[in-house]
Amino acid sequence: MHAVKGPPAHSPVVWVGLIVLMLVAGAAIPMQGRINSALGAELGDPFLAALLSFGGGLVLIGAVAAGTRRGRSTMRRVPAALRSGAVRPWYLLVGLGGAYFVLAQTLTIGLIGVAVFTVAVVTGQTVGGLLWDRIGLGPAGRIRLSPLRVIAAVLTVLAVVWAVSPQFGGGRGGWDLLLFVVVPFTGGFVNSAQQALNGRQTAAYRSPIPSTLFNFASGAAALALVWLGVLVAGGTELPGTLPGQWWLYLGGPLGVLFIGLGALLVTRVGVLVAAMGMIGGQLVGSLLLDVVAPAPGAVVTTATVLGTALTLVAVALASLPDMLRSRRGR
């Protein structure tokens, strides 16, 4: 993997646009989580809900890849990228990381609570973003860990802890809590690696369409195997009918938005800043949902609002070195 100077230079105006895209991509996650949770409740089977969500995303991105001129042209670039070594064959399986993340969400939120889950995932994403940028896993190559980037990463985690602090309480405690926290932490860590490799594929194909398709194909296949295993073991049953509300199937399209935009953003700003920006988007999206359509037990306090705002400050701090580099380049 090459050592390069970092993400491409952008003007301050472009940086503002990129930060907005990060927030939009991140905001898709809590919306998807709310929809998938409702679908799981309707079905009485969270595993099948996750599979249907991935399956819906696969159908959508498959239609884009096969049914549009741009999609077909970008898919034709895949064999050349594989032959040149710009894309390794195992990159096509990074959607397994997404499947692991969904399973971590399904299996641990009920045990440790949304707040602890969120902090564990964000910590994993942030630590992963620092590491993958440092070793050059993403398309921008190795990015130096400046003190400002490290401070911004720590500030992000602290801001998330502050934002979700009103939700702490209940659940487990002690060593068993620590054991269950490892699962969402590793889910976030793997998720940041998934974004890095999606970005590497996007740079090679000059489009996020193929990498998004491969993500949903491998993730859906993994979730299908898990669901079949649970079915055979007697842990669930075949549903008699599927819910009729159309909005319950929007989880897949929202996932396409998150994966596709995330892959594109990593090529522009690096793994760490993209992860932090989307973390900010998750908090903004969650805050808006809790204000507009609050779920039972939702809590919006001063800490929620100020913690969310602090994540945006952290994203701006992490972006500052590249903004200054862009201005010097001009």
mmCIF file of all heavy atoms in Angstrom, residues 35-54 102-103 105-107 223-243 248-249:
data_model
loop_
_atom_site.group_PDB
_atom_site.id
_atom_site.type_symbol
_atom_site.label_atom_id
_atom_site.label_comp_id
_atom_site.label_asym_id
_atom_site.label_seq_id
_atom_site.Cartn_x
_atom_site.Cartn_y
_atom_site.Cartn_z
ATOM 1 N N ILE A 35 -36.356 1.604 11.666
ATOM 2 C CA ILE A 35 -37.203 0.840 10.744
ATOM 3 C C ILE A 35 -36.975 -0.664 10.914
ATOM 4 O O ILE A 35 -37.932 -1.449 10.989
ATOM 5 C CB ILE A 35 -36.931 1.274 9.296
ATOM 6 C CG1 ILE A 35 -37.477 2.683 9.067
ATOM 7 C CG2 ILE A 35 -37.544 0.294 8.301
ATOM 8 C CD1 ILE A 35 -37.037 3.308 7.767
ATOM 9 N N ASN A 36 -35.701 -1.079 10.992
ATOM 10 C CA ASN A 36 -35.410 -2.504 11.149
ATOM 11 C C ASN A 36 -35.947 -3.039 12.478
ATOM 12 O O ASN A 36 -36.399 -4.185 12.568
ATOM 13 C CB ASN A 36 -33.908 -2.757 11.050
ATOM 14 C CG ASN A 36 -33.402 -2.657 9.619
ATOM 15 O OD1 ASN A 36 -34.178 -2.613 8.672
ATOM 16 N ND2 ASN A 36 -32.091 -2.608 9.464
ATOM 17 N N SER A 37 -35.876 -2.199 13.512
ATOM 18 C CA SER A 37 -36.412 -2.618 14.810
ATOM 19 C C SER A 37 -37.922 -2.832 14.724
ATOM 20 O O SER A 37 -38.458 -3.816 15.259
ATOM 21 C CB SER A 37 -36.078 -1.556 15.863
ATOM 22 O OG SER A 37 -36.661 -1.883 17.109
ATOM 23 N N ALA A 38 -38.604 -1.910 14.023
ATOM 24 C CA ALA A 38 -40.050 -2.055 13.860
ATOM 25 C C ALA A 38 -40.395 -3.278 13.026
ATOM 26 O O ALA A 38 -41.353 -4.007 13.328
ATOM 27 C CB ALA A 38 -40.630 -0.792 13.212
ATOM 28 N N LEU A 39 -39.603 -3.536 11.996
ATOM 29 C CA LEU A 39 -39.833 -4.718 11.159
ATOM 30 C C LEU A 39 -39.612 -5.992 11.967
ATOM 31 O O LEU A 39 -40.387 -6.954 11.861
ATOM 32 C CB LEU A 39 -38.906 -4.685 9.938
ATOM 33 C CG LEU A 39 -38.996 -5.869 8.973
ATOM 34 C CD1 LEU A 39 -40.410 -6.001 8.405
ATOM 35 C CD2 LEU A 39 -37.971 -5.720 7.839
ATOM 36 N N GLY A 40 -38.547 -6.006 12.778
ATOM 37 C CA GLY A 40 -38.284 -7.167 13.619
ATOM 38 C C GLY A 40 -39.408 -7.425 14.608
ATOM 39 O O GLY A 40 -39.779 -8.577 14.871
ATOM 40 N N ALA A 41 -39.984 -6.331 15.152
ATOM 41 C CA ALA A 41 -41.090 -6.481 16.091
ATOM 42 C C ALA A 41 -42.331 -7.033 15.390
ATOM 43 O O ALA A 41 -43.059 -7.874 15.946
ATOM 44 C CB ALA A 41 -41.400 -5.135 16.738
ATOM 45 N N GLU A 42 -42.591 -6.577 14.167
ATOM 46 C CA GLU A 42 -43.742 -7.065 13.403
ATOM 47 C C GLU A 42 -43.586 -8.544 13.058
ATOM 48 O O GLU A 42 -44.548 -9.306 13.101
ATOM 49 C CB GLU A 42 -43.901 -6.251 12.118
ATOM 50 C CG GLU A 42 -44.419 -4.841 12.325
ATOM 51 C CD GLU A 42 -45.902 -4.810 12.636
ATOM 52 O OE1 GLU A 42 -46.615 -5.733 12.217
ATOM 53 O OE2 GLU A 42 -46.346 -3.857 13.303
ATOM 54 N N LEU A 43 -42.368 -8.935 12.704
ATOM 55 C CA LEU A 43 -42.107 -10.320 12.311
ATOM 56 C C LEU A 43 -41.915 -11.234 13.513
ATOM 57 O O LEU A 43 -42.105 -12.453 13.408
ATOM 58 C CB LEU A 43 -40.853 -10.393 11.441
ATOM 59 C CG LEU A 43 -40.920 -9.766 10.044
ATOM 60 C CD1 LEU A 43 -39.516 -9.659 9.452
ATOM 61 C CD2 LEU A 43 -41.814 -10.610 9.126
ATOM 62 N N GLY A 44 -41.498 -10.649 14.645
ATOM 63 C CA GLY A 44 -41.109 -11.464 15.785
ATOM 64 C C GLY A 44 -39.807 -12.194 15.538
ATOM 65 O O GLY A 44 -39.532 -13.223 16.175
ATOM 66 N N ASP A 45 -38.974 -11.666 14.630
ATOM 67 C CA ASP A 45 -37.740 -12.346 14.243
ATOM 68 C C ASP A 45 -36.726 -11.305 13.773
ATOM 69 O O ASP A 45 -36.750 -10.881 12.613
ATOM 70 C CB ASP A 45 -38.028 -13.339 13.114
ATOM 71 C CG ASP A 45 -36.813 -14.185 12.750
ATOM 72 O OD1 ASP A 45 -35.695 -13.822 13.136
ATOM 73 O OD2 ASP A 45 -36.998 -15.208 12.045
ATOM 74 N N PRO A 46 -35.817 -10.859 14.651
ATOM 75 C CA PRO A 46 -34.838 -9.841 14.248
ATOM 76 C C PRO A 46 -33.868 -10.333 13.183
ATOM 77 O O PRO A 46 -33.356 -9.534 12.391
ATOM 78 C CB PRO A 46 -34.110 -9.507 15.552
ATOM 79 C CG PRO A 46 -34.324 -10.696 16.434
ATOM 80 C CD PRO A 46 -35.667 -11.235 16.067
ATOM 81 N N PHE A 47 -33.591 -11.642 13.148
ATOM 82 C CA PHE A 47 -32.685 -12.173 12.135
ATOM 83 C C PHE A 47 -33.291 -12.042 10.739
ATOM 84 O O PHE A 47 -32.610 -11.660 9.787
ATOM 85 C CB PHE A 47 -32.346 -13.638 12.431
ATOM 86 C CG PHE A 47 -31.554 -13.835 13.684
ATOM 87 C CD1 PHE A 47 -32.177 -14.213 14.865
ATOM 88 C CD2 PHE A 47 -30.182 -13.643 13.693
ATOM 89 C CE1 PHE A 47 -31.458 -14.388 16.021
ATOM 90 C CE2 PHE A 47 -29.442 -13.818 14.853
ATOM 91 C CZ PHE A 47 -30.083 -14.192 16.022
ATOM 92 N N LEU A 48 -34.560 -12.377 10.620
ATOM 93 C CA LEU A 48 -35.232 -12.246 9.332
ATOM 94 C C LEU A 48 -35.356 -10.772 8.942
ATOM 95 O O LEU A 48 -35.236 -10.422 7.765
ATOM 96 C CB LEU A 48 -36.623 -12.890 9.389
ATOM 97 C CG LEU A 48 -37.439 -12.838 8.098
ATOM 98 C CD1 LEU A 48 -36.679 -13.489 6.943
ATOM 99 C CD2 LEU A 48 -38.802 -13.495 8.294
ATOM 100 N N ALA A 49 -35.584 -9.894 9.926
ATOM 101 C CA ALA A 49 -35.672 -8.462 9.636
ATOM 102 C C ALA A 49 -34.355 -7.958 9.052
ATOM 103 O O ALA A 49 -34.342 -7.191 8.074
ATOM 104 C CB ALA A 49 -36.023 -7.687 10.903
ATOM 105 N N ALA A 50 -33.236 -8.372 9.639
ATOM 106 C CA ALA A 50 -31.934 -7.962 9.125
ATOM 107 C C ALA A 50 -31.721 -8.496 7.711
ATOM 108 O O ALA A 50 -31.204 -7.790 6.834
ATOM 109 C CB ALA A 50 -30.826 -8.469 10.045
ATOM 110 N N LEU A 51 -32.130 -9.748 7.474
ATOM 111 C CA LEU A 51 -31.980 -10.344 6.143
ATOM 112 C C LEU A 51 -32.833 -9.597 5.116
ATOM 113 O O LEU A 51 -32.373 -9.317 3.999
ATOM 114 C CB LEU A 51 -32.373 -11.822 6.193
ATOM 115 C CG LEU A 51 -32.409 -12.571 4.849
ATOM 116 C CD1 LEU A 51 -31.051 -12.506 4.152
ATOM 117 C CD2 LEU A 51 -32.838 -14.020 5.067
ATOM 118 N N LEU A 52 -34.077 -9.267 5.475
ATOM 119 C CA LEU A 52 -34.942 -8.544 4.548
ATOM 120 C C LEU A 52 -34.389 -7.153 4.257
ATOM 121 O O LEU A 52 -34.501 -6.644 3.130
ATOM 122 C CB LEU A 52 -36.356 -8.440 5.116
ATOM 123 C CG LEU A 52 -37.156 -9.740 5.160
ATOM 124 C CD1 LEU A 52 -38.495 -9.517 5.858
ATOM 125 C CD2 LEU A 52 -37.375 -10.298 3.751
ATOM 126 N N SER A 53 -33.783 -6.526 5.262
ATOM 127 C CA SER A 53 -33.190 -5.205 5.059
ATOM 128 C C SER A 53 -32.040 -5.294 4.063
ATOM 129 O O SER A 53 -31.982 -4.525 3.093
ATOM 130 C CB SER A 53 -32.696 -4.638 6.393
ATOM 131 O OG SER A 53 -32.081 -3.384 6.214
ATOM 132 N N PHE A 54 -31.133 -6.237 4.280
ATOM 133 C CA PHE A 54 -30.013 -6.418 3.354
ATOM 134 C C PHE A 54 -30.513 -6.840 1.980
ATOM 135 O O PHE A 54 -29.994 -6.404 0.954
ATOM 136 C CB PHE A 54 -29.036 -7.455 3.905
ATOM 137 C CG PHE A 54 -27.805 -6.856 4.532
ATOM 138 C CD1 PHE A 54 -27.881 -6.264 5.777
ATOM 139 C CD2 PHE A 54 -26.586 -6.883 3.885
ATOM 140 C CE1 PHE A 54 -26.759 -5.706 6.367
ATOM 141 C CE2 PHE A 54 -25.458 -6.338 4.461
ATOM 142 C CZ PHE A 54 -25.540 -5.738 5.707
ATOM 143 N N VAL A 102 -24.687 -5.714 11.995
ATOM 144 C CA VAL A 102 -26.129 -5.873 12.190
ATOM 145 C C VAL A 102 -26.403 -6.920 13.266
ATOM 146 O O VAL A 102 -27.279 -6.746 14.132
ATOM 147 C CB VAL A 102 -26.813 -6.258 10.862
ATOM 148 C CG1 VAL A 102 -28.260 -6.676 11.099
ATOM 149 C CG2 VAL A 102 -26.774 -5.081 9.890
ATOM 150 N N LEU A 103 -25.645 -8.015 13.246
ATOM 151 C CA LEU A 103 -25.841 -9.049 14.260
ATOM 152 C C LEU A 103 -25.450 -8.543 15.646
ATOM 153 O O LEU A 103 -26.107 -8.859 16.637
ATOM 154 C CB LEU A 103 -25.033 -10.298 13.906
ATOM 155 C CG LEU A 103 -25.556 -11.114 12.728
ATOM 156 C CD1 LEU A 103 -24.621 -12.278 12.423
ATOM 157 C CD2 LEU A 103 -26.961 -11.632 13.008
ATOM 158 N N GLN A 105 -25.687 -5.517 16.671
ATOM 159 C CA GLN A 105 -26.802 -4.661 17.067
ATOM 160 C C GLN A 105 -27.977 -5.506 17.574
ATOM 161 O O GLN A 105 -28.563 -5.226 18.622
ATOM 162 C CB GLN A 105 -27.214 -3.819 15.867
ATOM 163 C CG GLN A 105 -28.265 -2.766 16.145
ATOM 164 C CD GLN A 105 -28.611 -1.999 14.879
ATOM 165 O OE1 GLN A 105 -28.897 -2.609 13.847
ATOM 166 N NE2 GLN A 105 -28.595 -0.689 14.959
ATOM 167 N N THR A 106 -28.282 -6.565 16.823
ATOM 168 C CA THR A 106 -29.421 -7.412 17.165
ATOM 169 C C THR A 106 -29.224 -8.138 18.491
ATOM 170 O O THR A 106 -30.151 -8.251 19.297
ATOM 171 C CB THR A 106 -29.646 -8.459 16.045
ATOM 172 O OG1 THR A 106 -29.876 -7.785 14.810
ATOM 173 C CG2 THR A 106 -30.823 -9.356 16.365
ATOM 174 N N LEU A 107 -27.993 -8.599 18.724
ATOM 175 C CA LEU A 107 -27.752 -9.487 19.854
ATOM 176 C C LEU A 107 -27.420 -8.775 21.157
ATOM 177 O O LEU A 107 -27.557 -9.364 22.230
ATOM 178 C CB LEU A 107 -26.613 -10.460 19.510
ATOM 179 C CG LEU A 107 -26.890 -11.415 18.345
ATOM 180 C CD1 LEU A 107 -25.637 -12.200 18.000
ATOM 181 C CD2 LEU A 107 -28.043 -12.345 18.672
ATOM 182 N N LEU A 223 -26.129 -13.261 6.194
ATOM 183 C CA LEU A 223 -27.324 -13.197 7.039
ATOM 184 C C LEU A 223 -28.321 -14.305 6.687
ATOM 185 O O LEU A 223 -29.023 -14.814 7.563
ATOM 186 C CB LEU A 223 -27.982 -11.831 6.903
ATOM 187 C CG LEU A 223 -27.229 -10.681 7.575
ATOM 188 C CD1 LEU A 223 -27.837 -9.345 7.197
ATOM 189 C CD2 LEU A 223 -27.218 -10.856 9.094
ATOM 190 N N ALA A 224 -28.369 -14.688 5.404
ATOM 191 C CA ALA A 224 -29.243 -15.794 5.010
ATOM 192 C C ALA A 224 -28.790 -17.091 5.670
ATOM 193 O O ALA A 224 -29.621 -17.878 6.165
ATOM 194 C CB ALA A 224 -29.255 -15.943 3.486
ATOM 195 N N LEU A 225 -27.481 -17.315 5.713
ATOM 196 C CA LEU A 225 -26.959 -18.522 6.362
ATOM 197 C C LEU A 225 -27.256 -18.507 7.856
ATOM 198 O O LEU A 225 -27.626 -19.542 8.438
ATOM 199 C CB LEU A 225 -25.449 -18.633 6.118
ATOM 200 C CG LEU A 225 -25.022 -18.967 4.690
ATOM 201 C CD1 LEU A 225 -23.497 -18.921 4.573
ATOM 202 C CD2 LEU A 225 -25.540 -20.346 4.283
ATOM 203 N N VAL A 226 -27.087 -17.338 8.492
ATOM 204 C CA VAL A 226 -27.378 -17.234 9.929
ATOM 205 C C VAL A 226 -28.855 -17.514 10.192
ATOM 206 O O VAL A 226 -29.208 -18.289 11.099
ATOM 207 C CB VAL A 226 -26.986 -15.837 10.452
ATOM 208 C CG1 VAL A 226 -27.512 -15.646 11.877
ATOM 209 C CG2 VAL A 226 -25.477 -15.660 10.427
ATOM 210 N N TRP A 227 -29.727 -16.895 9.405
ATOM 211 C CA TRP A 227 -31.163 -17.086 9.611
ATOM 212 C C TRP A 227 -31.564 -18.534 9.386
ATOM 213 O O TRP A 227 -32.351 -19.109 10.150
ATOM 214 C CB TRP A 227 -31.960 -16.162 8.687
ATOM 215 C CG TRP A 227 -33.442 -16.333 8.852
ATOM 216 C CD1 TRP A 227 -34.201 -15.948 9.918
ATOM 217 C CD2 TRP A 227 -34.336 -16.978 7.934
ATOM 218 N NE1 TRP A 227 -35.525 -16.302 9.722
ATOM 219 C CE2 TRP A 227 -35.641 -16.937 8.508
ATOM 220 C CE3 TRP A 227 -34.169 -17.561 6.680
ATOM 221 C CZ2 TRP A 227 -36.754 -17.476 7.871
ATOM 222 C CZ3 TRP A 227 -35.284 -18.090 6.047
ATOM 223 C CH2 TRP A 227 -36.558 -18.047 6.636
ATOM 224 N N LEU A 228 -31.019 -19.167 8.345
ATOM 225 C CA LEU A 228 -31.325 -20.578 8.090
ATOM 226 C C LEU A 228 -30.837 -21.454 9.236
ATOM 227 O O LEU A 228 -31.507 -22.421 9.625
ATOM 228 C CB LEU A 228 -30.690 -21.024 6.770
ATOM 229 C CG LEU A 228 -31.370 -20.507 5.501
ATOM 230 C CD1 LEU A 228 -30.527 -20.857 4.271
ATOM 231 C CD2 LEU A 228 -32.784 -21.079 5.368
ATOM 232 N N GLY A 229 -29.658 -21.113 9.782
ATOM 233 C CA GLY A 229 -29.147 -21.870 10.916
ATOM 234 C C GLY A 229 -30.065 -21.758 12.124
ATOM 235 O O GLY A 229 -30.355 -22.763 12.804
ATOM 236 N N VAL A 230 -30.548 -20.544 12.409
ATOM 237 C CA VAL A 230 -31.478 -20.341 13.522
ATOM 238 C C VAL A 230 -32.790 -21.082 13.262
ATOM 239 O O VAL A 230 -33.378 -21.686 14.160
ATOM 240 C CB VAL A 230 -31.731 -18.834 13.735
ATOM 241 C CG1 VAL A 230 -32.812 -18.610 14.787
ATOM 242 C CG2 VAL A 230 -30.441 -18.135 14.146
ATOM 243 N N LEU A 231 -33.239 -21.064 11.996
ATOM 244 C CA LEU A 231 -34.479 -21.749 11.627
ATOM 245 C C LEU A 231 -34.361 -23.247 11.831
ATOM 246 O O LEU A 231 -35.243 -23.887 12.426
ATOM 247 C CB LEU A 231 -34.831 -21.429 10.173
ATOM 248 C CG LEU A 231 -36.127 -22.032 9.613
ATOM 249 C CD1 LEU A 231 -37.333 -21.438 10.327
ATOM 250 C CD2 LEU A 231 -36.216 -21.782 8.107
ATOM 251 N N VAL A 232 -33.255 -23.826 11.366
ATOM 252 C CA VAL A 232 -33.040 -25.268 11.499
ATOM 253 C C VAL A 232 -32.923 -25.670 12.967
ATOM 254 O O VAL A 232 -33.404 -26.734 13.387
ATOM 255 C CB VAL A 232 -31.782 -25.695 10.708
ATOM 256 C CG1 VAL A 232 -31.396 -27.133 11.037
ATOM 257 C CG2 VAL A 232 -32.014 -25.535 9.211
ATOM 258 N N ALA A 233 -32.288 -24.787 13.765
ATOM 259 C CA ALA A 233 -32.106 -25.088 15.188
ATOM 260 C C ALA A 233 -33.388 -24.896 15.985
ATOM 261 O O ALA A 233 -33.422 -25.189 17.184
ATOM 262 C CB ALA A 233 -31.007 -24.200 15.767
ATOM 263 N N GLY A 234 -34.437 -24.419 15.331
ATOM 264 C CA GLY A 234 -35.713 -24.240 16.019
ATOM 265 C C GLY A 234 -35.834 -22.932 16.770
ATOM 266 O O GLY A 234 -36.760 -22.758 17.572
ATOM 267 N N GLY A 235 -34.913 -21.993 16.508
ATOM 268 C CA GLY A 235 -34.957 -20.717 17.212
ATOM 269 C C GLY A 235 -35.935 -19.725 16.614
ATOM 270 O O GLY A 235 -36.169 -18.665 17.206
ATOM 271 N N THR A 236 -36.491 -20.043 15.451
ATOM 272 C CA THR A 236 -37.477 -19.177 14.826
ATOM 273 C C THR A 236 -38.363 -20.024 13.916
ATOM 274 O O THR A 236 -38.116 -21.227 13.759
ATOM 275 C CB THR A 236 -36.801 -18.046 14.011
ATOM 276 O OG1 THR A 236 -37.794 -17.121 13.562
ATOM 277 C CG2 THR A 236 -36.049 -18.607 12.808
ATOM 278 N N GLU A 237 -39.365 -19.393 13.334
ATOM 279 C CA GLU A 237 -40.271 -20.102 12.441
ATOM 280 C C GLU A 237 -40.451 -19.300 11.157
ATOM 281 O O GLU A 237 -40.219 -18.092 11.127
ATOM 282 C CB GLU A 237 -41.651 -20.289 13.110
ATOM 283 C CG GLU A 237 -41.616 -21.125 14.374
ATOM 284 C CD GLU A 237 -42.989 -21.228 15.018
ATOM 285 O OE1 GLU A 237 -43.918 -20.536 14.539
ATOM 286 O OE2 GLU A 237 -43.128 -21.980 15.993
ATOM 287 N N LEU A 238 -40.880 -19.997 10.099
ATOM 288 C CA LEU A 238 -41.192 -19.303 8.856
ATOM 289 C C LEU A 238 -42.389 -18.386 9.082
ATOM 290 O O LEU A 238 -43.385 -18.806 9.689
ATOM 291 C CB LEU A 238 -41.517 -20.308 7.745
ATOM 292 C CG LEU A 238 -40.345 -21.103 7.171
ATOM 293 C CD1 LEU A 238 -40.860 -22.205 6.250
ATOM 294 C CD2 LEU A 238 -39.397 -20.175 6.406
ATOM 295 N N PRO A 239 -42.302 -17.138 8.610
ATOM 296 C CA PRO A 239 -43.437 -16.237 8.812
ATOM 297 C C PRO A 239 -44.618 -16.631 7.939
ATOM 298 O O PRO A 239 -44.449 -17.059 6.792
ATOM 299 C CB PRO A 239 -42.866 -14.874 8.399
ATOM 300 C CG PRO A 239 -41.803 -15.205 7.396
ATOM 301 C CD PRO A 239 -41.206 -16.505 7.858
ATOM 302 N N GLY A 240 -45.822 -16.502 8.485
ATOM 303 C CA GLY A 240 -47.012 -16.795 7.687
ATOM 304 C C GLY A 240 -47.207 -15.770 6.594
ATOM 305 O O GLY A 240 -47.401 -16.105 5.425
ATOM 306 N N THR A 241 -47.123 -14.505 6.954
ATOM 307 C CA THR A 241 -47.225 -13.402 5.993
ATOM 308 C C THR A 241 -46.212 -12.332 6.378
ATOM 309 O O THR A 241 -45.741 -12.281 7.530
ATOM 310 C CB THR A 241 -48.631 -12.774 5.988
ATOM 311 O OG1 THR A 241 -48.929 -12.295 7.311
ATOM 312 C CG2 THR A 241 -49.685 -13.783 5.551
ATOM 313 N N LEU A 242 -45.882 -11.487 5.432
ATOM 314 C CA LEU A 242 -44.987 -10.366 5.703
ATOM 315 C C LEU A 242 -45.814 -9.117 5.977
ATOM 316 O O LEU A 242 -46.921 -8.973 5.457
ATOM 317 C CB LEU A 242 -44.056 -10.122 4.505
ATOM 318 C CG LEU A 242 -43.053 -11.234 4.196
ATOM 319 C CD1 LEU A 242 -42.243 -10.891 2.947
ATOM 320 C CD2 LEU A 242 -42.116 -11.466 5.389
ATOM 321 N N PRO A 243 -45.307 -8.209 6.806
ATOM 322 C CA PRO A 243 -46.049 -6.972 7.095
ATOM 323 C C PRO A 243 -46.356 -6.195 5.814
ATOM 324 O O PRO A 243 -45.569 -6.210 4.859
ATOM 325 C CB PRO A 243 -45.091 -6.182 7.995
ATOM 326 C CG PRO A 243 -44.185 -7.212 8.583
ATOM 327 C CD PRO A 243 -44.040 -8.277 7.552
ATOM 328 N N LEU A 248 -41.743 -0.174 6.188
ATOM 329 C CA LEU A 248 -40.935 -1.127 6.933
ATOM 330 C C LEU A 248 -39.807 -1.724 6.095
ATOM 331 O O LEU A 248 -38.904 -2.376 6.631
ATOM 332 C CB LEU A 248 -41.819 -2.256 7.467
ATOM 333 C CG LEU A 248 -42.765 -1.902 8.621
ATOM 334 C CD1 LEU A 248 -43.687 -3.065 8.937
ATOM 335 C CD2 LEU A 248 -41.977 -1.481 9.860
ATOM 336 N N TYR A 249 -39.846 -1.498 4.786
ATOM 337 C CA TYR A 249 -38.835 -2.067 3.892
ATOM 338 C C TYR A 249 -37.878 -0.997 3.360
ATOM 339 O O TYR A 249 -37.178 -1.235 2.383
ATOM 340 C CB TYR A 249 -39.533 -2.794 2.742
ATOM 341 C CG TYR A 249 -40.478 -3.870 3.235
ATOM 342 C CD1 TYR A 249 -41.844 -3.620 3.367
ATOM 343 C CD2 TYR A 249 -39.997 -5.109 3.628
ATOM 344 C CE1 TYR A 249 -42.704 -4.583 3.854
ATOM 345 C CE2 TYR A 249 -40.849 -6.085 4.122
ATOM 346 C CZ TYR A 249 -42.205 -5.813 4.232
ATOM 347 O OH TYR A 249 -43.051 -6.788 4.731
#
